[in-house]
Amino acid sequence: MCTSKHLLAIHRDARRRAPAVLSAIVLLTAVTGCASTSASKSGDFGTSSVQTAIIQNTQGAATGINMVSTTEVNSVLINAPVEKAWAALQEAYATLTIPVTELNQQTRTIGNNTFRVRRRIGDVPTMRALDCGGDSGMPNAETYQLLLTVKSRIIPNDAGGSVVQTTLEGTGKNATTAASSDVRCSSMGALEKKIADLVKAKVAAK
């Protein structure tokens, strides 16, 4: 069940977003509360979630809006067997100084679900890796305290070799103010590309 404070926040956010999203979302004729669900795509590494927001028009009528959020998967072919690519992927995370909190040798998955960082991820500027909006012409990702989920895995390629798959998402918060609200950040692809490039370079060097 949503609190009135939560509904007000959703209401304000949805009113700001309404012109941009109405053509791409489904309007519900009746809503009794707020809900959020998520599920992994079949055979995929990313996720999709649906959030229902409540909006009231000027006459006081309530309308629900389903907003879909998708975590995109970046996939790159690696010309190396899976075990060699898997070893190179672990080295890539070490090179980028990403602390590893998840390591599954069986599924060849590596990542961090609570990665706190500012300004740079290894040698990748956060403003190139993530879009968290901007203030006064300056990208928020450049100055915000970021809380990220980054995850990669190695899977076999049907045509031979391997595939490195990486997902990146998170939130940002202004570290210089007392603002408590988080800004959702979406990937711009630079970190995923850097990880794949490092894996390619490391397998080629062995």
Side-chain angles (χ1 to χ4, degrees):
M1 182 68 66
C2 295
T3 65
S4 58
K5 184 176 180 181
H6 187 196
L7 287 174
L8 181 59
I10 293 175
H11 171 75
R12 289 173 177 168
D13 184 62
R15 289 188 64 181
R16 289 198 305 268
R17 296 168 180 258
V21 301
L22 284 177
S23 61
I25 55 185
V26 179
L27 295 181
L28 304 181
T29 57
V31 175
T32 58
C34 294
S36 175
T37 60
S38 63
S40 296
K41 299 175 183 176
S42 177
D44 207 346
F45 195 39
T47 61
S48 291
S49 64
V50 179
Q51 290 186 322
T52 302
I54 297 176
I55 300 177
Q56 283 187 323
N57 60 24
T58 54
Q59 287 74 39
T63 303
I65 293 181
N66 280 354
M67 292 179 288
V68 179
S69 175
T70 302
T71 302
E72 298 293 339
V73 180
N74 182 287
S75 299
V76 177
L77 293 173
I78 304 296
N79 187 23
V82 290
E83 291 304 330
K84 190 173 183 179
W86 170 232
L89 177 60
Q90 295 173 71
E91 292 179 21
Y93 267 63
T95 299
L96 291 168
T97 63
I98 300 174
V100 175
T101 60
E102 177 183 351
L103 184 68
N104 190 317
Q105 298 285 354
Q106 198 168 31
T107 61
R108 303 183 188 88
T109 301
I110 187 173
N112 189 323
N113 293 321
T114 55
F115 182 28
R116 296 184 182 276
V117 67
R118 285 190 69 187
R119 299 193 182 279
R120 306 186 77 83
I121 304 171
D123 61 354
V124 179
T126 53
M127 62 184 293
R128 287 183 51 223
L130 294 143
D131 179 5
C132 306
D135 298 312
S136 303
M138 173 64 70
N140 288 340
E142 170 68 12
T143 57
Y144 274 23
Q145 175 68 52
L146 304 176
L147 177 61
L148 308 178
T149 295
V150 55
K151 189 179 297 185
S152 303
R153 72 175 179 181
I154 297 293
I155 60 174
N157 177 23
D158 292 340
S162 311
V163 177
V164 56
Q165 294 185 323
T166 301
T167 63
L168 174 67
E169 62 180 347
T171 58
K173 182 182 293 186
N174 193 331
T176 62
T177 70
S180 59
S181 59
D182 293 336
V183 175
R184 180 171 174 80
C185 303
S186 58
S187 174
M188 297 175 66
L191 181 63
E192 296 94 314
K193 182 179 184 302
K194 181 66 176 184
I195 289 173
D197 288 346
L198 284 171
V199 172
K200 288 180 178 179
K202 291 178 185 300
V203 296
K206 294 183 178 181

